Every structure is written in structure tokens, then in C-alpha cells.
């Protein structure tokens, strides 16, 4: 098959000096979610979890949009089927989408969402599942689900109450109203809002900073934060103790202490 007739990949991935740049690549339909995109994205994260050369992951969309949710044409096909909705197929798609979110949430590497344009439905869930989110000042967000008669997927009902608080999460999920970047920043969905022409530089700067941190520490911090709501105080204190002691036995602890005393920037091991 020639390059001219080869099908376009729905997800692109490039490892640039330890920073894995993952691009959702369906720009003509605003990078809407499909089973193929789910499979490719899941595979990329599974491989990244095992790849010692990957230290930080950036998720972005092509065509100046992040992701406008599920592909409505797929939903239309489901409801127009004269045999009725294929529940087995629908369950399979949802489970695969949920497994993708689990891969992102559980991977012990920082994941940054670089957000442009639309982030709706599963796109908003994907932003919420990442560890950091930086967006341009021209973005539009919505949970979208209730507007087409669905409840959220992609972990939205798990992550949004933890990030935004239960009351605000209910508002977003029940009303499905659109909101802009400034509101997304104010409620805690985003870490930073920047002009569109500076998004790449801001995201890259954060990625490089995380890359130069202790990778073992970053992974442990992510794990402690993401699992904190599942434990009692005593259980969380024990998890902290275990991680603290484990980190103290690593070379990065020596490097960090000595660099602090010498008033230098630490050069942690990779």
C-alpha cells in the first residue's frame, strides 16, 4: 500500500528526549472518540508504562481541538439498528474506554493535557484524568452526556467530584452547560490558561521540569494522591511512611540533599 492510500493513524506518538507526545489525530471530526482511537491510545499508554525511556506524557489534539466527545455517527448507528441497540457491543466499547482511563490514571508517570478548542464528553473526562491540564484562553468545555440522554463515562463521575467537589460536579454533569477556560481554571479543572500561541511552550516547559524531577518520586506522588480517597487517615499515613522510606533509600535522596546544601539544582538519576 502506498503512502498516499495508507489509512491515517487515529493517534500519533513521538518520544522526544523522554517526553512522549501523544496526538489525537481525527481533526476533521474534532478528534471524536471511536473504538479504533480507544484501542490505539490504550496500547500507547500500556507500552509507555513499560518503556523506561518515557518519563512524561503529553496528550494533545490535532486541528486546534482536543476532543469533542464520542462520535455521534456511531451513536446514530446504534439507535437506528432495526434489531435494537447491540448491548454487547456497546458494553465492549464502554469497557474499553474505561480501561483507557484506568491506564492514564494508574501509570506512574506524569500526564499533561494540552487543551485547545473543544473538550466535551469523553474529551472532558480525558482532561480530568490527566495529572496536569493547560489550556488556551479560547477553549469550550462541557460534560455533554445528559444533553443526549446519557450519564457520564470515562471516569467523570469518579474524578470530577474529587477535583471540583460533589456539588460542582453534579452541576456540570446534570446541566451539561458549556463553560470557558477561565471558569475551568476557577473551578480547578485546569492548572493554567495561556494564550493560544504560547500553549506549546508552556506545556513543554512543564514537561521538561517534570522530566528533570526524580521519576520515582513523581510516580509515588501520583499514586498517593490518586488513591488517597480510598483509604482512611491511618491507611494513608502508612502509605506515606512506606513511600517516604523507600524514597530515602534511593540515590535521588542523596542527590537532592547535597544539592540543597550546596545551593545547586539537583540532577536526579534517570
Amino acid at each position: 500500500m502506498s503512502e498516499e492510500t495508507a489509512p491515517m493513524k487515529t493517534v500519533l506518538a513521538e518520544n522526544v528526549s523522554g517526553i512522549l507526545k501523544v496526538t489525537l489525530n481525527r481533526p476533521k471530526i474534532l478528534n471524536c472518540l471511536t473504538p479504533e482511537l480507544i484501542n490505539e491510545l490504550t496500547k500507547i499508554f500500556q507500552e509507555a508504562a513499560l518503556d523506561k525511556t518515557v518519563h512524561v506524557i503529553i496528550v494533545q489534539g490535532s486541528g486546534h481541538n482536543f476532543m469533542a466527545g464520542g462520535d455521534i455517527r456511531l451513536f446514530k448507528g446504534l439507535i437506528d439498528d432495526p434489531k435494537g441497540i447491540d448491548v454487547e457491543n456497546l458494553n465492549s466499547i464502554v469497557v474499553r474506554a474505561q480501561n483507557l482511563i484506568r491506564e492514564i490514571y494508574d501509570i506512574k508517570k506524569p500526564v499533561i493535557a494540552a487543551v485547545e478548542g473543544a473538550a466535551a464528553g469523553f474529551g472532558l473526562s480525558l482532561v480530568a484524568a490527566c495529572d496536569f491540564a493547560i489550556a488556551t484562553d479560547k477553549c469550550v468545555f462541557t460534560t455533554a452526556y445528559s444533553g443526549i440522554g446519557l450519564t457520564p463515562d470515562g471516569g467523570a463521575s469518579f474524578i470530577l467530584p474529587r477535583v471540583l467537589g460533589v456539588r460542582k460536579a453534579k452541576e456540570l454533569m446534570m446541566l451539561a452547560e458549556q463553560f470557558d477556560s477561565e471558569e475551568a481554571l476557577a473551578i480547578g479543572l485546569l492548572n493554567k490558561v495561556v494564550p493560544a500561541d504560547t500553549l506549546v511552550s508552556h506545556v513543554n516547559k512543564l514537561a521538561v521540569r517534570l522530566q528533570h524531577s526524580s521519576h520515582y518520586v513523581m510516580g509515588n506522588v501520583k499514586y498517593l494522591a490518586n488513591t488517597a480517597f480510598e483509604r482512611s487517615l491511618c491507611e494513608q499515613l502508612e502509605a506515606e511512611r512506606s513511600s517516604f522510606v523507600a524514597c530515602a533509600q534511593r540515590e535521588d535522596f542523596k542527590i537532592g540533599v547535597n544539592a540543597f546544601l550546596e545551593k545547586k539544582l539537583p540532577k536526579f538519576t534517570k
Side-chain angles (χ1 to χ4, degrees):
M1 182 178 290
S2 67
E3 291 185 2
E4 289 77 10
T5 59
M8 183 174 65
K9 289 186 176 181
T10 59
V11 184
L12 306 176
E14 181 184 14
N15 186 342
V16 181
S17 301
I19 299 172
L20 183 64
K21 296 187 177 182
V22 179
T23 305
L24 312 176
N25 192 37
R26 304 188 75 221
K28 291 184 179 180
I29 55 170
L30 309 185
N31 303 313
C32 284
L33 195 69
T34 64
E36 293 77 21
L37 190 148
I38 293 170
N39 292 342
E40 289 186 29
L41 202 50
T42 301
K43 182 180 178 182
I44 287 169
F45 271 89
Q46 289 173 337
E47 292 175 348
L50 301 174
D51 189 344
K52 293 183 179 179
T53 70
V54 173
H55 307 139
V56 183
I57 302 167
I58 297 171
V59 181
Q60 58 194 5
S62 60
H64 303 293
N65 282 285
F66 189 72
M67 178 191 284
D71 192 335
I72 298 297
R73 295 176 303 177
L74 174 64
F75 296 154
K76 178 64 172 172
L78 288 171
I79 63 175
D80 285 350
D81 189 331
K83 297 179 182 178
I85 289 180
D86 185 339
V87 175
E88 183 177 351
N89 180 44
L90 184 58
N91 266 314
S92 174
I93 294 171
V94 173
V95 167
R96 279 183 282 165
Q98 308 296 42
N99 287 340
L100 167 60
I101 293 298
R102 189 178 293 112
E103 293 288 343
I104 296 170
Y105 202 70
D106 289 346
I107 192 171
K108 284 196 168 183
K109 300 179 182 185
V111 182
I112 306 168
V115 189
E116 292 184 274
F122 193 90
L124 189 146
S125 298
L126 184 55
V127 171
C130 294
D131 305 303
F132 296 87
I134 299 177
T136 74
D137 51 5
K138 303 296 183 182
C139 291
V140 177
F141 300 86
T142 176
T143 57
Y145 296 99
S146 66
I148 58 170
L150 290 174
T151 53
D153 68 346
S157 64
F158 177 88
I159 300 171
L160 291 180
R162 287 162 168 78
V163 174
L164 313 180
V166 174
R167 191 172 298 278
K168 190 64 179 181
K170 286 179 182 177
E171 176 189 326
L172 264 56
M173 291 187 287
M174 290 182 177
L175 301 183
E177 293 177 341
Q178 292 186 358
F179 55 99
D180 61 18
S181 299
E182 291 303 324
E183 183 173 351
L185 178 66
I187 64 178
L189 183 64
L190 301 175
N191 295 94
K192 184 178 291 188
V193 173
V194 300
D197 60 352
T198 68
L199 178 65
V200 173
S201 62
H202 276 90
V203 170
N204 287 343
K205 183 178 180 180
L206 173 59
V208 169
R209 179 173 178 180
L210 290 167
Q211 184 189 24
H212 289 161
S213 301
S214 167
H215 303 149
Y216 184 80
V217 168
M218 294 299 99
N220 279 22
V221 168
K222 177 172 178 173
Y223 170 76
L224 286 170
N226 282 356
T227 58
F229 288 92
E230 301 168 15
R231 302 190 188 95
S232 66
L233 173 60
C234 289
E235 290 169 336
Q236 185 69 3
L237 290 173
E238 173 56 23
E240 286 184 347
R241 181 208 61 76
S242 177
S243 178
F244 187 96
V245 172
C247 289
Q249 297 177 70
R250 299 178 68 86
E251 185 67 22
D252 281 345
F253 180 54
K254 296 179 183 178
I255 292 171
V257 170
N258 288 329
F260 179 85
L261 294 174
E262 296 169 7
K263 297 183 179 180
K264 298 179 180 178
L265 290 175
K267 295 182 178 181
F268 293 114
T269 60
K270 301 304 180 188

